[in-house]
Amino acid sequence: MTLSKNISVGVLALQGDYEAHKKQLQSLAVKAVEVRLESDLKNLDALIIPGGETTTMDKLINRFELRQPLINFCRSKPVFGICAGLILLSKKIEDNQSEVEPLGLLDIDVLRNGYGRQVFSFEDEININLGNGKSQMAATFIRAPKITRIGESVKVLGEFKNEPVLVSQNNVLASSFHTELGQDTSLLGYFLKTFAAG
Amino acid sequence: MLKFDDKQYKLKVGLAEMLKGGVIMDVINAEQAKIAEDAGACAVMALERVPSDIRADGGVARMADPDVIEDIKRSVTIPVMAKCRIGHFVEAQVLEALEVDFVDESEVLTPADNMYHVNKWQFKVPFVCGCRNLGEALRRISEGAAMIRTKGEAGTGDVSEAVKHLREINSVMKALTIMSDEELFGAAKEHQVSIELIKIVSKTGNLPVPNFAAGGVATPADAALCMQLGAEAVFVGSGIFKADNPEKRAKAIVDATTHYKNARQITESSRGLGQAMKGIQVASIADEHLLHTR
């Protein structure tokens, strides 16, 4: 992978598996910075919004006045949202029981826990096409959201059972599944190379 | 024997990973669950009575009523955990049938089996178990636990036992990282666990599953203390709903857990919370009333 080693990637560290993302970044020799306050966003080249509990992150984004700073950052810099991160980046949450206010940066609608609660979490192969042909990837879905609508300018990069699970729009990449829990850094590598290296 | 590569086990540990950096709050009804979610809890723990009431009332403490658990499930979007008695695999079966997201095989309830814990490999639902030391932690993991928490001394508001358990586990794990193979065999014997598990810990200096704190957490500073001592998330039991202002205290504990390394933020979170739960010093409790020895 050709990548400038000087880039700094932030990982939103309000709650969730931010350590796993930091470890993956560090394994690719990329500087990882925990983001909890607006000031932490300074000098970052890209941002990861990790998995965790969407409702919790939403409350903390409001309480620590991160909403506008995050929107501003994600409008101009590359961002990768995973699971809860995908939900937060979306335009609309169906059946939005806990009134989470998504950031609205990715033109998709989502259904939280679209596959069911924890006993229905699963791991399976998904079909992906990251611009170099079709291939398969092992993906972990944990209380995962389902993408129920995609806007015209949203590209589908990965599907499971003919439903989108990996999408992008301009500088935003989002997956409803996890790859950071294991050793596979290929999706993170793709994000860094395609979105963050330019 | 260890099935760490098992897909189902990876999914169980995966949910535990998602709960990191958060606060899991004990609740006894839907109303409390909503307060916990609004405060930013990353999960709620459904139980019949909070630990301090179990301690005060005495009697046998059991799994919560399925109606209450379902009520709580409907009221929040965050994961719902529930407690079963140690060794009570039928209560665990009921909780799995109710589709709770995590089962806590908990010493806070009255143990149902004084010999054996639940064989947690047989379940799809993940389990968390309490421990006081590395041996207990690894034995629970070998039985299939996907998350470990300290026992602390529940229902006291005294964090000292949780601190002791965190420090004990950390110092033994650190010692394992520099041991020779011969010493590791000795350690496996001493801690009454398999050499395979001891070797995994010796390689990483960490448990192979997330390691959370519980037992006696009552203030934002208590939560941050556990996090700075290496806990990856915090359980709060009686500390919230036995305090003067549960809404405010719950938020403050969540905020301090997120910003656990930031003394200024913890200071802000600690202001004007009113009276914390009165509590009871662990040192003043007679041995037969201690929960962590179960």
Side-chain angles (χ1 to χ4, degrees):
Chain A
M1 188 174 73
T2 50
L3 183 71
S4 151
K5 291 214 169 145
N6 298 323
I7 70 166
S8 298
V9 177
V11 184
L12 192 64
L14 296 172
Q15 190 272 323
D17 74 333
Y18 53 86
E19 277 293 338
H21 290 281
K22 273 179 63 192
K23 272 188 199 146
Q24 280 211 332
L25 286 164
Q26 284 155 358
S27 78
L28 298 175
V30 173
K31 191 179 169 204
V33 178
E34 292 177 6
V35 174
R36 292 184 175 84
L37 297 169
E38 180 181 0
S39 55
D40 299 326
L41 286 167
K42 242 187 280 170
N43 305 321
L44 294 181
D45 299 294
L47 181 70
I48 289 174
I49 306 181
E53 286 313 313
T54 311
T55 309
T56 303
M57 289 192 221
D58 175 67
K59 306 274 180 208
L60 290 168
I61 284 171
N62 286 337
R63 234 180 277 159
F64 292 98
E65 295 169 357
L66 277 164
R67 182 165 301 276
Q68 204 51 48
L70 280 174
I71 291 172
N72 293 343
F73 185 93
C74 298
R75 279 198 178 131
S76 56
K77 301 260 178 78
V79 55
F80 180 15
I82 296 97
C83 194
L86 171 139
I87 299 169
L88 287 170
L89 288 167
S90 74
K91 199 131 247 172
K92 196 182 132 200
I93 299 169
E94 286 188 26
D95 188 20
N96 194 1
Q97 191 192 336
S98 47
E99 294 168 352
V100 168
E101 196 185 335
L103 300 171
L105 295 154
L106 177 60
D107 189 14
I108 60 169
D109 295 352
V110 296
L111 178 64
R112 293 179 66 183
N113 307 143
Y115 299 91
R117 304 181 73 95
Q118 173 61 14
V119 288
F120 302 104
S121 291
F122 63 98
E123 186 186 298
D124 212 328
E125 298 278 315
I126 60 162
N127 298 310
I128 56 166
N129 190 343
L130 303 178
N132 51 356
K134 289 179 182 171
S135 61
Q136 294 214 306
M137 173 180 264
T140 307
F141 293 82
I142 296 173
R143 285 172 49 98
K146 254 190 194 178
I147 300 172
T148 55
R149 181 195 65 84
I150 49 169
E152 276 175 20
S153 54
V154 174
K155 276 194 272 184
V156 176
L157 305 174
E159 287 185 327
F160 176 68
K161 293 190 172 162
N162 298 316
E163 289 180 326
V165 292
L166 176 65
V167 295
S168 76
Q169 184 181 18
N170 303 321
N171 56 320
V172 179
L173 177 69
S175 70
S176 58
F177 57 90
H178 301 271
T179 55
E180 76 282 0
L181 298 171
Q183 308 298 318
D184 181 8
T185 55
S186 60
L187 195 54
L188 175 62
Y190 167 77
F191 169 68
L192 295 172
K193 207 170 101 187
T194 314
F195 290 71
Chain B
M1 273 309 285
L2 294 169
K3 297 169 252 184
F4 289 137
D5 289 333
D6 178 71
K7 270 190 187 178
Q8 194 63 42
Y9 190 67
K10 278 171 28 190
L11 294 169
K12 293 174 177 178
V13 176
L15 179 59
E17 294 284 338
M18 297 310 144
L19 298 172
K20 282 184 177 177
V23 181
I24 300 150
M25 300 182 191
D26 277 1
V27 297
I28 59 165
N29 55 40
E31 187 193 349
Q32 289 188 352
K34 196 71 197 117
I35 291 171
E37 179 174 71
D38 287 343
C42 68
V44 289
M45 173 76 72
L47 75 176
E48 188 185 45
R49 291 172 282 169
V50 294
S52 66
D53 284 340
I54 293 173
R55 192 177 281 291
D57 302 350
V60 176
R62 312 178 179 90
M63 173 186 81
D65 186 316
D67 281 347
V68 173
I69 294 172
E70 289 197 319
D71 219 20
I72 290 169
K73 271 176 60 193
R74 273 191 297 271
S75 71
V76 295
T77 55
I78 54 179
V80 174
M81 303 186 171
K83 286 185 193 289
C84 77
R85 286 179 261 176
I86 288 174
H88 206 315
F89 54 85
V90 176
E91 281 188 351
Q93 289 165 6
V94 171
L95 295 175
E96 183 173 67
L98 286 167
E99 295 178 14
V100 302
D101 296 293
F102 238 101
V103 174
D104 184 0
E105 187 183 16
S106 176
E107 72 283 359
V108 168
L109 306 186
T110 310
D113 190 326
N114 294 317
M115 286 284 283
Y116 305 116
H117 279 69
V118 172
N119 176 3
K120 293 162 274 284
W121 294 109
Q122 292 186 332
F123 289 81
K124 267 187 104 165
V125 65
F127 280 74
V128 51
C129 289
C131 72
R132 289 167 295 173
N133 52 50
L134 187 69
E136 269 190 353
L138 295 181
R139 286 195 294 279
R140 298 296 85 80
I141 291 168
S142 66
E143 294 157 2
M147 178 202 290
I148 289 296
R149 56 168 176 77
T150 59
K151 284 180 173 171
E153 185 59 26
T156 60
D158 180 347
V159 79
S160 63
E161 230 21 68
V163 167
K164 184 168 137 193
H165 300 160
L166 278 170
R167 284 200 182 277
E168 160 70 22
I169 293 166
N170 286 343
S171 74
V172 175
M173 288 197 298
K174 206 188 290 172
L176 288 180
T177 61
I178 53 164
M179 282 188 187
S180 68
D181 280 356
E182 291 85 344
E183 290 171 315
L184 290 177
F185 281 111
K189 188 177 165 195
E190 184 194 337
H191 299 297
Q192 301 173 49
V193 292
S194 73
I195 185 66
E196 287 84 0
L197 267 175
I198 287 286
K199 280 187 172 166
I200 289 171
V201 176
S202 119
K203 221 175 265 170
T204 61
N206 265 312
L207 294 179
V209 303
N211 182 12
F212 292 7
V217 175
T219 70
D222 286 350
L225 174 67
C226 292
M227 293 291 286
Q228 287 197 28
L229 285 170
E232 295 171 300
V234 180
F235 285 82
V236 185
S238 324
I240 289 168
F241 292 102
K242 289 291 165 188
D244 269 2
N245 187 339
E247 288 88 350
K248 199 169 175 191
R249 183 166 295 268
K251 278 183 191 162
I253 292 176
V254 169
D255 292 355
T257 302
T258 290
H259 295 284
Y260 71 95
K261 289 178 282 194
N262 185 333
R264 267 191 51 204
Q265 288 292 342
I266 300 165
T267 308
E268 291 311 310
S269 303
S270 305
R271 289 182 201 277
L273 298 179
Q275 193 63 48
M277 71 179 281
K278 180 159 181 284
I280 172 170
Q281 286 181 39
V282 175
S284 70
I285 302 172
D287 283 356
E288 65 268 28
H289 293 127
L290 288 172
L291 302 177
H292 74 253
T293 50
R294 287 174 168 177

